[in-house]
Amino acid sequence: MSNELGEFLRARRADASLGSPTRHESGRRRVTGLRREEVSTAAGISVDYYTRLEQGRENHPSDAVLDALARVLHLAPDATEHLYRVRGPNPSLARNPHGDEGLLAERMATLVEAVRPNPAYVLDRLSNMLAANPEGLTLYDGFADISPRQRNTCRYLMTNPRAREIFLEWEEIARGAVAHLRAANADNLHDPELQALVAELREHSALFEEWWSEHIVERRRTSIKHIRATDGDTIARRYEVLHLPEDGLRMTLWLPGT
């Protein structure tokens, strides 16, 4: 993680094409890759300068350079924001800049309780479940039986076989969880807790290793997904994500899908 800017550019360059991105019938963009010379020429910068960016020998590109690279690499808004956030050294974020963690957890518990019977939970930047109502906790089968400190939704999605049975669009949800994990920690990628979680998931999940190495970036917002209940019935639900950036938290609320 010592050269996040360069690694991010290399990963996106390997997944980009000149002109408008083409797509497979499945909707995913065709992976063709670009050479450094093609990126630098299209962005209007020298190949030497672009090479230094990828190699970590230049960490302070201007806004104009980043705008050009985002255009050439066809970066989505979340990925463009990430590109700006990983430019140069970033100060470590305070774990909780707004007061006592116990008080924060109490506030979040009150919030998820207020939306019952809709499932809801609050996650921190590492996808640890800070608070959940009973319906939200039930979505992650087995969470009620483990310590609250072990309730990490990204770990569950990537390593627990039950997740593939519960969430019918498991791959899309799990990939999105990995993408959000990087996006939520762009200012703090050297954090020891994040590095420990990434190392653990890399060891236990080949897919996590693949997706994390791709530097995918996307914040969770809203979508309709299908959930298999304990009785075997399939339920369509729409989730909405409320971001609380000052506290580094997000609340996920599952509503009826229709």
Side-chain angles (χ1 to χ4, degrees):
M1 297 183 185
S2 59
N3 179 25
E4 173 67 16
L5 175 62
E7 292 175 5
F8 181 71
L9 289 173
R10 284 197 298 274
R12 298 277 59 81
R13 177 167 61 84
D15 190 33
S17 61
L18 290 174
S20 300
T22 58
R23 296 183 180 273
H24 293 300
E25 291 182 357
S26 64
R28 295 193 63 185
R29 183 157 55 79
R30 188 187 308 280
V31 178
T32 57
L34 293 175
R35 298 190 301 273
R36 286 175 175 171
E37 293 81 1
E38 292 175 318
V39 174
S40 60
T41 299
I45 59 178
S46 71
V47 65
D48 177 67
Y49 182 78
Y50 180 75
T51 300
R52 295 203 308 273
L53 286 174
E54 283 201 358
Q55 293 177 345
R57 295 186 288 122
E58 171 58 59
N59 291 314
H60 301 284
S62 67
D63 288 356
V65 168
L66 294 186
D67 286 342
L69 290 174
R71 171 179 53 79
V72 172
L73 298 174
H74 305 293
L75 299 186
D78 285 341
T80 299
E81 178 189 353
H82 185 80
L83 181 64
Y84 271 84
R85 292 175 68 188
V86 298
R87 172 178 50 184
N90 293 297
S92 295
L93 297 176
R95 285 185 52 121
N96 179 15
H98 295 286
D100 179 74
E101 287 188 1
L103 180 59
L104 181 62
E106 191 174 308
R107 287 172 46 212
M108 295 303 104
T110 300
L111 185 61
V112 296
E113 186 68 18
V115 299
R116 295 185 66 187
N118 296 301
Y121 46 83
V122 176
L123 306 179
D124 66 12
R125 62 183 178 82
L126 298 179
S127 297
N128 294 316
M129 190 175 281
L130 182 66
N133 61 25
E135 295 83 0
L137 198 62
T138 300
L139 283 179
Y140 293 84
D141 185 40
F143 263 23
D145 301 323
I146 63 176
S147 165
R149 292 185 177 273
Q150 296 299 314
R151 295 172 184 168
N152 183 284
T153 58
C154 191
R155 179 190 292 119
Y156 186 91
L157 288 166
M158 298 309 306
T159 65
N160 193 321
R162 179 71 176 125
R164 297 173 183 255
E165 301 176 14
I166 296 172
F167 301 101
L168 272 63
E169 296 91 351
W170 171 83
E171 183 170 348
E172 181 183 346
I173 293 173
R175 184 178 170 86
V178 176
H180 190 102
L181 184 65
R182 184 178 290 277
N185 291 277
D187 293 323
N188 209 21
L189 285 164
H190 299 283
D191 175 68
E193 287 185 295
L194 173 65
Q195 292 190 15
L197 177 61
V198 168
E200 174 193 343
L201 295 182
R202 275 177 159 163
E203 179 181 355
H204 292 96
S205 171
L207 268 179
F208 179 87
E209 166 68 24
E210 175 186 337
W211 293 339
W212 186 260
S213 297
E214 289 178 359
H215 290 245
I216 54 177
V217 178
E218 185 178 3
R219 289 186 179 274
R220 292 293 184 84
R221 290 186 174 88
T222 183
S223 184
I224 294 179
K225 296 291 181 264
H226 296 84
I227 298 171
R228 183 175 287 112
T230 53
D231 60 7
D233 289 343
T234 298
I235 305 170
R237 282 191 174 274
R238 184 181 88 252
Y239 70 73
E240 296 286 348
V241 181
L242 173 64
H243 292 275
L244 307 170
E246 290 187 352
D247 296 308
L249 304 175
R250 66 187 187 275
M251 173 183 169
T252 300
L253 172 63
W254 292 84
L255 301 167
T258 56

